[in-house]
Amino acid sequence: MSYSSVKNSTFLDVVPLKTATKNTDYQRRFHVMSKPGGSKCNLDCQYCFYLHKDELLHQPKQPVMDNATLEAFIKSYIESQDSNEIVFSWQGGEPTLLGVDYFRKVVQLQQKHCPKGVKIENDLQTNGILLNDEWCQFLKDNGFLVGLSIDGPRELHDKYRVTRSGKPTFHLVMAAVERLQDYQIPFNALVVVNRHNVKHPLEVYRFLTKELGATYIQFTPCVEAKDFATTAPQFWNESMTPEKGSDLTKPGHPMSIVTDWSVDPDDWGYFLNTVFVEWVNNDLGRVLVNLFETAVAQVMGKESQLCVTAEFCGKGLAMEHNGDVFSCDHYVYPEYKLGNVNERGLNELAFSIRQHGFGMAKRDSLPAYCKACPYLNLCWGECPKNRLIKSPDGELGLNYLCSGIRAFFDESLPMLTGLSVLLKKQQDALN
């Protein structure tokens, strides 16, 4: 398989595999990120990879998933899962713009179609601006987990996360935090690590843990190709792809392949290493950091807990307000559309030849440089949508963040190994 195998997956048929049907030989597990309000949002975050979807996908000015599509999705999603616990994820845009009553309807439909013995959970990713008392009471009563977007203390958060009129939002998010805490609603801190806040790792981390009181933190590096608004991943102009180490791989360069707000790869490595040491010394066992937790698990020989560091992908689909289903949340482009939930079951789309090809291509399209890397089993080339550069020997498909990821494992692997040994001893003692 070659670098183009992810791209070539879009030409495969959307024909269901055997795994699409209920069969005791298979365990059908996949996840759908649902966007019932489309890309509509009350903020104008400069780095947002999703705001442009209204033009790319020709969304209406007020996109909303209608009742028939909503019920078709909920029914199909429940029927397509083999697990006794099913998690619905609601995102946008900003999903709270749909109003509390819309999500009351969601809960009613889930109850209508939920089989006996199955537990349904919901999580809501939000900027928090509209979380008033009515919202918080609903989230509390129905056990919603909240993912709250916040990029650090005031001066770092307000750098990119502003309103449509360009006003800061930090004080509004902190008001949401107070309400969530008052109602004892669990929330995760969702942090976009960008070109600006990446240079302040301890300020970001200590704010989240000491001032915000977050006990689960999801760090997501901001990596956006310059033409991300119109060009799907792997459909880039390959002749313009720079090699690792080139100035063209740096944000801020006039000819850079990434946007000015994208994180610098070397800064990303510095950020991870700095926060990792702080986490190990002060918060191990108390604060869960997504990238560190999965790194420890993988060093122990377990599967990755995150799609970006897993050997394969394809089990995390995205669905638009009109029921269109795409291969991944970062691949919501016409080229990667699988079908529509009003026409085909989610199981048929998730376990189709095309989606299987998309998922397998994550590993099969790795360049030789990655395959020879000592950290291959901990990275697996990270997310394919970030494979924007060439390896030192000129092969396409190297991840933009490669230098930072390698720097992290160069420095942290001894400690990760020590943690894994300690955890294994603790597990053996319990057994």
Side-chain angles (χ1 to χ4, degrees):
M1 301 288 285
S2 66
Y3 160 77
S4 62
S5 58
V6 178
K7 176 181 177 180
N8 289 340
S9 70
T10 63
F11 303 118
L12 297 174
D13 291 330
V14 187
V15 175
L17 299 166
K18 290 183 179 180
T19 46
T21 59
K22 284 187 178 293
N23 187 309
T24 55
D25 294 335
Y26 308 112
Q27 184 69 20
R28 299 184 307 175
R29 297 292 296 272
F30 66 96
H31 185 250
V32 175
M33 184 68 72
S34 177
K35 303 169 184 294
S39 62
K40 185 181 179 183
C41 189
N42 49 358
L43 297 189
D44 190 18
C45 303
Q46 187 174 5
Y47 58 58
C48 183
F49 71 92
Y50 200 67
L51 285 177
H52 68 284
K53 299 298 183 184
D54 57 345
E55 296 181 7
L56 183 68
L57 303 179
H58 308 292
Q59 293 183 355
K61 290 185 177 180
Q62 302 293 331
V64 58
M65 187 177 292
D66 61 41
N67 292 340
T69 302
L70 181 64
E71 183 161 13
F73 162 59
I74 291 173
K75 183 175 184 292
S76 181
Y77 191 50
I78 292 173
E79 292 176 346
S80 297
Q81 302 285 334
D82 290 335
S83 174
N84 291 328
E85 182 176 304
I86 301 174
V87 179
F88 284 81
S89 294
W90 307 95
Q91 195 190 49
E94 176 50 47
T96 59
L97 286 169
L98 294 172
V100 181
D101 286 341
Y102 189 91
F103 283 90
R104 290 193 176 102
K105 180 168 54 181
V106 165
V107 173
Q108 292 171 356
L109 289 171
Q110 290 173 339
Q111 294 172 345
K112 174 182 176 180
H113 293 287
C114 182
K116 290 183 179 180
V118 173
K119 180 181 180 182
I120 290 180
E121 295 186 350
N122 290 278
D123 59 66
L124 182 79
Q125 294 192 20
T126 176
N127 57 41
I129 305 302
L130 298 179
L131 292 185
N132 56 20
D133 289 332
E134 182 183 14
W135 260 111
C136 287
Q137 190 62 60
F138 167 80
L139 296 171
K140 173 73 172 178
D141 292 343
N142 293 280
F144 273 61
L145 172 66
V146 174
L148 186 69
S149 296
I150 186 165
D151 288 351
R154 183 184 302 273
E155 63 276 11
L156 299 180
H157 175 89
D158 286 340
K159 175 68 175 179
Y160 294 118
R161 300 192 64 82
V162 295
T163 66
R164 290 285 184 175
S165 58
K167 295 180 180 180
T169 62
F170 179 80
H171 64 292
L172 300 174
V173 178
M174 292 306 294
V177 170
E178 291 183 11
R179 288 195 183 93
L180 292 170
Q181 292 173 337
D182 288 344
Y183 280 84
Q184 298 182 321
I185 298 170
F187 68 92
N188 300 337
L190 310 180
V191 183
V192 176
V193 183
N194 52 68
R195 186 185 177 191
H196 186 62
N197 63 0
V198 71
K199 298 181 184 296
H200 307 275
L202 291 182
E203 291 179 51
V204 171
Y205 182 76
R206 289 173 180 172
F207 166 78
L208 296 172
T209 55
K210 299 182 184 302
E211 296 187 43
L212 206 65
T215 55
Y216 182 90
I217 303 171
Q218 177 180 316
F219 289 121
T220 302
C222 181
V223 180
E224 292 176 347
K226 271 254 178 86
D227 57 355
F228 77 96
T230 57
T231 305
Q234 277 72 51
F235 282 81
W236 307 298
N237 184 346
E238 296 179 2
S239 65
M240 301 294 290
T241 304
E243 289 187 6
K244 180 182 179 182
S246 167
D247 289 344
L248 302 186
T249 65
K250 298 291 184 179
H253 190 283
M255 297 296 290
S256 176
I257 58 166
V258 295
T259 57
D260 288 346
W261 51 85
S262 291
V263 67
D264 181 280
D266 295 330
D267 288 345
W268 176 236
Y270 166 74
F271 181 95
L272 290 177
N273 280 320
T274 305
V275 173
F276 180 72
V277 171
E278 178 80 3
W279 174 73
V280 170
N281 289 335
N282 298 290
D283 297 316
L284 186 64
R286 185 183 72 85
V287 177
L288 303 180
V289 180
N290 65 334
L291 295 173
F292 303 156
E293 296 289 333
T294 197
V296 173
Q298 286 177 272
V299 170
M300 294 176 67
K302 300 179 182 295
E303 292 185 4
S304 172
Q305 301 168 0
L306 304 173
C307 60
V308 293
T309 53
E311 184 175 1
F312 308 104
C313 62
K315 292 299 182 68
L317 285 66
M319 189 182 67
E320 280 297 321
H321 75 285
N322 63 352
D324 284 346
V325 179
F326 296 82
S327 289
C328 170
D329 188 29
H330 290 284
Y331 283 76
V332 179
Y333 293 82
E335 293 87 344
Y336 292 95
K337 177 183 170 181
L338 295 169
N340 190 286
V341 73
N342 289 301
E343 300 168 357
R344 304 185 69 170
L346 286 170
N347 59 315
E348 295 183 3
L349 301 177
F351 299 100
S352 63
I353 292 176
R354 178 179 296 182
Q355 187 65 1
H356 177 74
F358 174 84
M360 295 293 289
K362 182 179 192 293
R363 181 198 65 183
D364 294 342
S365 62
L366 287 171
Y369 185 77
C370 289
K371 294 175 183 177
C373 178
Y375 309 127
L376 173 63
N377 292 340
L378 302 176
C379 170
W380 290 111
E382 212 254 353
C383 183
K385 71 100 177 172
N386 293 335
R387 296 180 184 178
L388 297 166
I389 62 176
K390 294 178 182 177
S391 65
D393 58 2
E395 190 174 0
L396 290 165
L398 185 64
N399 196 289
Y400 168 83
L401 296 170
C402 176
S403 61
I405 294 171
R406 288 180 72 113
F408 169 63
F409 286 121
D410 281 343
E411 189 167 320
S412 69
L413 189 57
M415 198 172 295
L416 288 169
T417 302
L419 290 174
S420 68
V421 172
L422 179 62
L423 287 173
K424 285 180 180 179
K425 287 182 178 179
Q426 291 177 346
Q427 292 176 355
D428 291 342
L430 291 175
N431 294 332

